[in-house]
Amino acid sequence: MTAIRLCAAFAAALTFACAPPRAPLPTIEAARETSPVASPEDAADDPAIWIDRAAPENSLILGTDKQAGLYAYGLDGGVRQFLPAGALNNIDLRQDAAIGDWTGDIAAASNRTDNTITLFTIDRGVVARTGAFASAIVEPYGLCMGRGEDGVLVFVTYKTGDLVAYRLTAPDAGAEIARLKLKSQLEGCVFDDDAQLLFIGEEGRGVFKAPYADGSLGPPVAVDRRGGPGGLVPDVEGMSLYKTGDRSGYLIVSSQGDDSFAVYDREGDNRFIGRFRIGDGAAIDGVEETDGLDAHSAPLGPEFPKGVLVVQDGFNLPEGAAQNYKIVDWRAVEAAIGLAE
Ligand code: CA
Ligand code: CA
Ligand code: CA
Ligand code: CA
């Protein structure tokens, strides 16, 4: 529990003022939630959505338990698989990825147990660990994947402010190709495969982006800073793209410090569009202090015709429940910030 949360609890009881005040924001509800992870306290961290192209309603949410391993959940929130793969922090995946003469669906996760990037394949809805390769710097923290013009990429962020780009050389191996250095602790990131552009979250400062070309990353420029148009309150945490076309769509960022989500234009100067919270519903509790998130625009059956936003929930209810992931109908996000046509 953060100081701010304690302060808010005392303020409610004693009616004294606590800073900073939380801005009122459009609030939506989650449609589903996953089973809690097995580990207590801070454990769930980052989800990644896998699309079952043959039967979209059978798509999976991969979610890390950063003390224990990897879950695969159905869209109903039930556990399909658990892989005890170590302290996996962030995860991302690419489908129909080509690595040498291998083609398939591959996921990568930052693993603090053995200081590796651990790799998994997803074949007809079954997740399997294929192998791992060493992190170039101790304690791989954040992670996102990309489809570069030169292959399948894994970007790993570090508490030192370093970011290392790796290229996969096999479904169980990778090698460093590039580095960037920002000022302070990094975590969330997302790569725009179409624009060849990497978005990076610097937890205390904001969101930056860097172009990728010919095996190297260009200098990072700011998308938004703490206290900027998007109202980001540190930590800046997970981020993802919701794609509506080859270049169009949205960038969604977790503003952990005020339990909100900021949405930006995917293109151009990444204009800030709006932000929202996920509040308590009749059956499912609201979302607080989100770490990782993922979004996908693929239709996932009648319940989610425009896809989903999946977010980690830092304070799952009922009281004492372990953390989990909340599943939000994208149409609720559209309505909250005025995206619907
Ligand atoms: Ca973090
Ligand atoms: Ca995190
Ligand atoms: Ca909650
Ligand atoms: Ca709950």
Side-chain angles (χ1 to χ4, degrees):
M1 185 176 282
T2 64
I4 290 170
R5 186 167 305 281
L6 276 171
C7 184
F10 280 116
L14 304 174
T15 65
F16 68 81
C18 276
R22 279 162 49 111
L25 292 177
T27 299
I28 59 179
E29 295 175 13
R32 293 281 171 94
E33 65 181 332
T34 68
S35 297
V37 298
S39 303
E41 297 169 353
D42 195 20
D45 198 89
D46 191 36
I49 301 164
W50 177 83
I51 305 298
D52 186 327
R53 304 210 196 276
E57 63 278 11
N58 293 338
S59 295
L60 298 174
I61 296 162
L62 306 189
T64 58
D65 175 336
K66 62 189 171 190
Q67 302 178 36
L70 182 65
Y71 285 92
Y73 303 98
L75 293 175
D76 60 358
V79 175
R80 299 288 184 273
Q81 268 184 278
F82 174 71
L83 293 90
L88 303 181
N89 196 351
N90 279 199
I91 185 158
D92 199 8
L93 61 86
R94 284 295 181 272
Q95 297 191 229
D96 304 313
I99 306 168
D101 56 10
W102 181 90
T103 303
D105 298 351
I106 189 158
S110 48
N111 191 335
R112 295 192 276 195
T113 297
D114 57 6
N115 199 49
T116 67
I117 289 79
T118 301
L119 299 169
F120 303 86
T121 55
I122 308 108
D123 185 12
R124 286 161 288 180
V126 177
V127 185
R129 183 183 179 281
T130 59
F133 62 94
S135 172
I137 298 171
V138 173
E139 200 181 348
Y141 193 54
L143 178 147
C144 56
M145 292 184 72
R147 204 185 300 271
E149 276 157 9
D150 54 342
V152 179
L153 308 173
V154 180
F155 301 97
V156 180
T157 60
Y158 297 87
K159 291 180 176 176
T160 53
D162 290 286
L163 181 147
V164 180
Y166 305 85
R167 186 188 295 127
L168 295 185
T169 52
D172 61 355
E176 177 179 340
I177 52 168
R179 283 191 192 206
L180 267 189
K181 178 99 177 170
L182 285 88
K183 286 192 174 144
S184 62
Q185 179 163 321
L186 309 176
E187 186 171 353
C189 61
V190 63
F191 187 73
D192 187 328
D193 293 349
D194 301 301
Q196 298 286 288
L197 191 60
L198 178 66
F199 294 91
I200 308 156
E202 194 171 340
E203 290 189 343
R205 295 179 71 229
V207 181
F208 297 81
K209 62 179 177 180
Y212 177 82
D214 303 323
S216 60
L217 285 157
V221 299
V223 170
D224 195 8
R225 295 178 188 275
R226 80 185 281 175
L232 295 173
V233 180
D235 292 352
V236 174
E237 284 277 336
M239 56 190 64
S240 183
L241 298 173
Y242 179 93
K243 299 177 183 178
T244 56
D246 284 349
R247 293 297 174 98
S248 59
Y250 309 103
L251 168 70
I252 308 117
V253 178
S254 169
S255 172
Q256 190 179 60
D258 71 344
D259 306 327
S260 76
F261 301 90
V263 181
Y264 302 85
D265 193 341
R266 179 183 168 197
E267 298 177 271
D269 293 332
N270 311 112
R271 175 181 63 90
F272 169 66
I273 295 170
R275 63 194 180 113
F276 63 93
R277 290 196 177 98
I278 302 167
D280 288 333
I284 301 175
D285 57 297
V287 171
E288 301 80 27
E289 297 196 3
T290 290
D291 282 319
L293 60 81
D294 198 13
H296 210 297
S297 57
L300 299 177
E303 231 191 325
F304 303 116
K306 293 181 124 178
V308 292
L309 169 68
V310 179
V311 304
Q312 183 259 7
D313 179 18
F315 293 86
N316 186 24
L317 294 179
E319 196 78 38
Q323 293 178 338
N324 69 354
Y325 298 93
K326 266 47 177 189
I327 305 167
V328 178
D329 182 349
W330 182 261
R331 293 174 299 177
V333 176
E334 284 186 329
I337 56 173
L339 299 177
E341 297 101 72

